[in-house]
Amino acid sequence: MADAPGATIQLENLTKRYPGNPAPAVDCVNMDIKAGELVVFVGPSGCGKTTTMKMINRLIEPTSGRIRIDGEDVTGIDPVRLRRKIGYAIQASGLFPHMTVAQNISLVPRMTGWPKRRIAERVEEMLDLVGLDPGEFQGRYPRQLSGGQQQRVGVARALAADPPVLLMDEPFGAVDPITRDHLQDELIRLQHELHKTIVFVTHDFDEAIKLGDRIAVLRERSHIAQFDTPEAILTNPADDFVSGFVGAGAALKRLNLTRVRDVGVVDFPTATVDDPLQTIFDRLRRGTTNEVLLLDRHQRPYKWLRRGDLMRAEGSLARAGTLVHDTVTRDATLRDALEAVLIDNAGRVPVTGRRGRYEGVVDMETLMNSVHELLEEDRLDAVEHQHLLEEQRAQQVLEEQEGTTDAPEELA
Amino acid sequence: MSGVRPEAADPDALPGRDGAPGPPPRAAARPARRVTWRKLLLRPCFLLVLLLATWLWFRGAGLDSVARNSIADGNVWLRLRQHVVLTVVSTFFVLIIAIPLGILLTRRRLRPAAPAVVAVANVGQATPAIGLLALLVIWMGIGMQAALVGIVVYAVLPVLANTVAGLRAIDPTLVEAARGIGMSAAGVLRRVELPLAVPLILAGVRTALVLNVGTATLAYFGGGGGLGDLIASGITNQRMPVLVLGSVLTVALALLVDWLASLAELLLRPRGLEAS
């Protein structure tokens, strides 16, 4: 089943006024979101970010302005039809407690009239996609799931009818930090596979940096303070409001922007538990390092084995070596990797892929080198950006000084 | 009768065992279920004993011609049947009036009208039933019709109030989630709101049913028949056995109806809500 790629979203002069309130809740938002992009709306509470998002699927009807999805003006079409083409995931999952997991996920496909068999297949596919075992979870009720599992099902439900656009309203706001971290990683993985257009609302700037292809920092009445890539916002905040929001420790946050997949993963001599002892001995003797990484039957990192370990354990693999206590995935941020490397007493951590399979190792040296490169690059970019801005400003000043004809119009 | 009841309870208990898949919830659901099971069996046994004892006592009591006259020609069966009909028909009307009205009063446009309507329903219940019945008889004439209207007016409130409360108690984010994933207004009501409100609505229906069995005894005074006839003739003729028979039958009917309603509550309550 080929999944539909994302669609573009354009917001044109989108405004929401509530009766009895002279100031608009959302004031004239203009935004171009590219197909397949994950855009995060971030801002203080009450800044109108959720209102802006809910206008995209018209849970809140805009007072004025247009919304275009894939070029089509959807401001006037039947909202029910519109919403069936837009996935919607909310805080605390929004699962219906009286329906099983399968029933929850199949809601939109059922409403849009998919054939029964395809729906059943789709439910399993979706559960697989969000990392839940279909056999185990299909028949459960939301009450029987943990918060993180509920949230996964919520995402599965939002994706079930394969919508090109996905709206997520603080979907990970109600789960504990560890689960939230996992869910964020999962979302990144999903987005790598699916390339949907996602609008994600959060008030957590770190989450925004971690997830967003681009971030819209919103201030009161949904005014866009800056709409740019996370790198640009971190290294070059547009104004005091944005830098206030970015907060301290920008260099450390920068580590959140790069993933293990983007830096070199080095190979490490490995052996599996099924290998005969002699082979492992040979490998240890011949290899360039005096250490191998022992993998279990499923190719998952299991133990670090040093040359002397086997001797000391008298040839028993069960007793030899030290257990691998932490691994990172390719989607893990450099910050996570750094943390794992710092904790490991030999300064390296195995990288794993799907189902925990071994893919390589990251060590301190690789990390240091890549971080230095990154920071240097950012610095150059920022300098260039600065030049560009200064030139523009100079140009503007020049124009204003030359022709005063435009000025009255601007003032009006 | 006793053979029917455990069977009626059975299909309720079985899917519960199969339907709870996860081990921890199953462990949590089991003890709760067992208690309801015992409760379910207790009521019919008690009723059976009550009826048997009454029957034995009634057979032993010496009946004179007046007493015999008031239970002659299958009068007891007739009154019992009338009573059941009164209860069933009035409950039916209560349901088709109160539930749709409750739904309407929770829709956005009519929400402001809810307090006023509930107040009117309150008046219906606050009025003494016998007074209400008398007024209705003056207005509609003697007969079952007036009695039915009286019973219905009297019992609308609990169902209406519970329907409104049940629909209002639903987490608004769930309703918004339902709209957000593309359900129409009717779809939200049918698939989300009503199923979630079912426990409270059913509790209201149960109250109404029991109320109706009680109020239906007053139907006799409006010429509506029912077990009230036995009670009244027992009182006016000063024949204890007839009076006791009438009241015991009324009590037994009320308890039976309440028991059936509790069964319905167990069966119709959506599965996913059980763990609470």
Side-chain angles (χ1 to χ4, degrees), chain A residues 54 57-59 80 83-84 86-88 90 94-99 107-108 110-111 136 139-141 143-144 157, chain B residues 19-23 25 173-174 176-185 191-192 195-196 270-276:
Chain A
K54 281 182 182 168
N57 68 356
R58 288 178 45 216
L59 274 176
V80 171
R83 289 179 202 135
R84 287 184 188 175
I86 300 180
Y88 187 55
I90 60 170
L95 294 180
F96 303 125
H98 59 296
M99 299 183 192
L107 269 173
V108 188
R110 267 191 286 157
M111 288 190 293
E136 191 186 341
R140 287 212 196 170
Y141 285 98
R143 248 172 225 280
Q144 302 166 327
R157 183 176 72 183
Chain B
T173 57
L174 278 184
E176 194 178 71
R179 294 207 303 136
I181 65 170
M183 282 190 197
S184 58
R191 288 179 201 255
V192 179
L196 288 177
R271 274 286 131 64
L273 304 181
E274 263 159 12
S276 67

Side-chain angles (χ1 to χ4, degrees), chain B residues 34-270:
Chain B
R34 210 165 278 164
V35 171
T36 37
W37 231 90
R38 207 172 288 165
K39 258 191 206 160
L40 278 179
L41 281 180
L42 202 69
R43 181 73 63 84
C45 291
F46 170 72
L47 283 179
L48 217 64
V49 170
L50 178 72
L51 288 175
L52 204 70
T54 314
W55 182 65
L56 286 175
W57 174 78
F58 194 75
R59 242 176 39 145
L63 293 182
D64 57 9
S65 61
V66 179
R68 232 177 278 135
N69 200 26
S70 49
I71 61 163
D73 303 326
N75 193 33
V76 177
W77 275 119
L78 173 73
R79 296 309 178 198
L80 187 60
R81 242 184 300 127
Q82 279 178 337
H83 206 98
V84 171
V85 167
L86 276 171
T87 309
V88 170
V89 174
S90 62
T91 308
F92 173 74
F93 279 108
V94 166
L95 295 190
I96 63 167
I97 292 169
I99 293 179
L101 191 62
I103 291 170
L104 280 179
L105 290 178
T106 49
R107 299 307 95 185
R108 197 182 302 175
R109 263 176 235 162
L110 287 174
R111 218 169 285 165
V117 177
V118 172
V120 170
N122 244 325
V123 170
Q125 199 178 31
T127 325
I130 187 97
L132 187 68
L133 202 68
L135 287 175
L136 282 166
V137 167
I138 295 170
W139 181 40
M140 300 174 68
I142 283 173
M144 214 178 209
Q145 227 172 347
L148 272 178
V149 173
I151 300 171
V152 169
V153 169
Y154 199 56
V156 156
L157 180 73
V159 181
L160 177 69
N162 273 34
T163 307
V164 170
L167 289 171
R168 278 214 190 129
I170 295 166
D171 183 356
T173 57
L174 278 184
V175 175
E176 194 178 71
R179 294 207 303 136
I181 65 170
M183 282 190 197
S184 58
V188 176
L189 179 67
R190 189 168 59 84
R191 288 179 201 255
V192 179
E193 291 184 272
L194 282 182
L196 288 177
V198 154
L200 263 180
I201 295 178
L202 281 179
V205 172
R206 188 172 167 182
T207 314
L209 268 169
V210 176
L211 262 180
N212 285 355
V213 174
T215 327
T217 49
L218 300 179
Y220 163 76
F221 298 103
L227 289 170
D229 177 83
L230 291 185
I231 298 174
S233 70
I235 292 173
T236 44
N237 300 330
Q238 298 192 342
R239 290 298 179 274
M240 267 302 267
V242 182
L243 170 61
V244 168
L245 183 68
S247 4
V248 167
L249 281 178
T250 312
V251 168
L253 188 64
L255 289 177
L256 178 69
V257 160
D258 182 60
W259 178 76
L260 287 174
S262 72
L263 266 192
E265 264 183 286
L266 273 178
L267 284 171
L268 295 178
R269 163 191 282 267

